[in-house]
Amino acid sequence: DTGVSQDPRHKITKRGQNVTFRCDPISEHNRLYWYRQTLGQGPEFLTYFQNEAQLEKSRLLSDRFSAERPKGSFSTLEIQRTEQGDSAMYLCASSLHSGRADEQYFGPGTRLTVT
Amino acid sequence: DAKTTQPPSMDCAEGRAANLPCNHSTISGNEYVYWYRQIHSQGPQYIIHGLKNNETNEMASLIITEDRKSSTLILPHATLRDTAVYYCIVRVGSGNTGKLIFGQGTTLQVKP
């Protein structure tokens, strides 16, 4: 399968613990996005990378959240000191940005439950 | 990016065409119309996008009005597997972040 993959698919953690999610984009894609989706809502943008550079972060991304894309390939999203409000589906998407309209391809998501 | 307005829900009979409307009256000249769908518990799936001409691919057709203030996504022969939330999104095609701003979407229920 050459689509976007995410790991793990499900994560249950206790409040206060740190968690890290991984996203592997489609191999030639230079842009990588993270979104968060809570129940009954559409996905909300968190941050994006062009190659290894993190170019925008949403105000939703508090200082407990950090994302990296060290070699311009896979990305990780870490949440420190998790809170119950962090429970959500975390979605990763990638695209090939070439100066024209580009479509984003999403992974299956990581569902986080904070107890 | 311009805002969009979609009906919260629609029904369609299996085998019939599903026509999903979207209003984007404040769209700018360089903004594209994108459609994504999300089947329960999966990540969103890209369907189609267009600027001003009508577009067709293997999944759907996109009809954009001449004034570009509204569009319709057409699934020509809906199946039960097309039951999903459909999102209409307007964004600048090039430059900027390319981030997608999702609204509430339209929940399409395809019935046998």
Side-chain angles (χ1 to χ4, degrees):
Chain A
D1 192 317
T2 56
V4 178
S5 62
Q6 293 186 245
D7 183 69
R9 295 291 306 278
H10 303 274
K11 179 71 177 179
I12 300 174
T13 191
K14 293 185 177 179
R15 187 164 49 99
Q17 297 294 304
N18 299 343
V19 294
T20 300
F21 309 140
R22 176 178 170 125
C23 172
D24 286 90
I26 294 172
S27 60
E28 67 270 23
H29 283 185
N30 54 2
R31 281 191 170 181
L32 186 148
Y33 300 80
W34 285 99
Y35 293 83
R36 180 174 70 185
Q37 185 173 27
T38 54
L39 204 59
Q41 303 298 314
E44 297 172 293
F45 169 78
L46 291 178
T47 188
Y48 96 102
F49 294 82
Q50 179 147 327
N51 300 313
E52 65 275 9
Q54 186 174 19
L55 297 186
E56 183 174 341
K57 293 193 290 187
S58 162
R59 287 174 295 175
L60 293 173
L61 213 65
S62 76
D63 55 7
R64 296 184 297 106
F65 288 70
S66 62
E68 293 183 342
R69 194 183 183 199
K71 297 182 180 178
S73 57
F74 73 93
S75 175
T76 58
L77 177 69
E78 181 183 16
I79 308 174
Q80 295 183 326
R81 305 181 302 282
T82 52
E83 301 173 356
Q84 287 188 321
D86 298 331
S87 294
M89 175 78 85
Y90 290 84
L91 293 159
C92 175
S94 70
S95 72
L96 179 61
H97 179 67
S98 59
R100 296 183 58 193
D102 58 322
E103 48 267 28
Q104 293 178 27
Y105 295 90
F106 283 78
T110 294
R111 181 166 297 283
L112 173 66
T113 302
V114 181
T115 62
Chain B
D1 294 328
K3 288 189 176 179
T4 63
T5 304
Q6 300 178 252
S9 64
M10 294 182 63
D11 289 343
C12 177
E14 189 178 18
R16 305 297 293 267
N19 297 286
L20 291 92
C22 179
N23 286 325
H24 30 80
S25 59
T26 61
I27 193 169
S28 300
N30 63 347
E31 288 182 316
Y32 286 71
V33 180
Y34 281 76
W35 284 85
Y36 282 77
R37 73 179 182 184
Q38 189 170 25
I39 296 169
H40 183 61
S41 295
Q42 298 182 21
Q45 178 188 22
Y46 166 79
I47 301 173
I48 198 167
H49 74 276
L51 184 61
K52 46 187 173 182
N53 297 322
N54 298 337
E55 302 287 345
T56 295
N57 63 19
E58 64 278 4
M59 288 183 68
S61 294
L62 175 59
I63 308 298
I64 302 174
T65 58
E66 194 168 340
D67 63 8
R68 304 210 321 124
K69 293 185 177 183
S70 66
S71 61
T72 301
L73 179 74
I74 301 172
L75 307 178
H77 305 288
T79 71
L80 298 178
R81 287 179 294 182
D82 292 321
T83 293
V85 179
Y86 287 77
Y87 296 100
C88 170
I89 299 167
V90 170
R91 71 167 176 94
V92 176
S94 62
N96 293 344
T97 68
K99 65 186 175 187
L100 298 171
I101 301 175
F102 290 82
Q104 296 296 313
T106 296
T107 299
L108 175 68
Q109 181 74 47
V110 180
K111 298 187 173 181

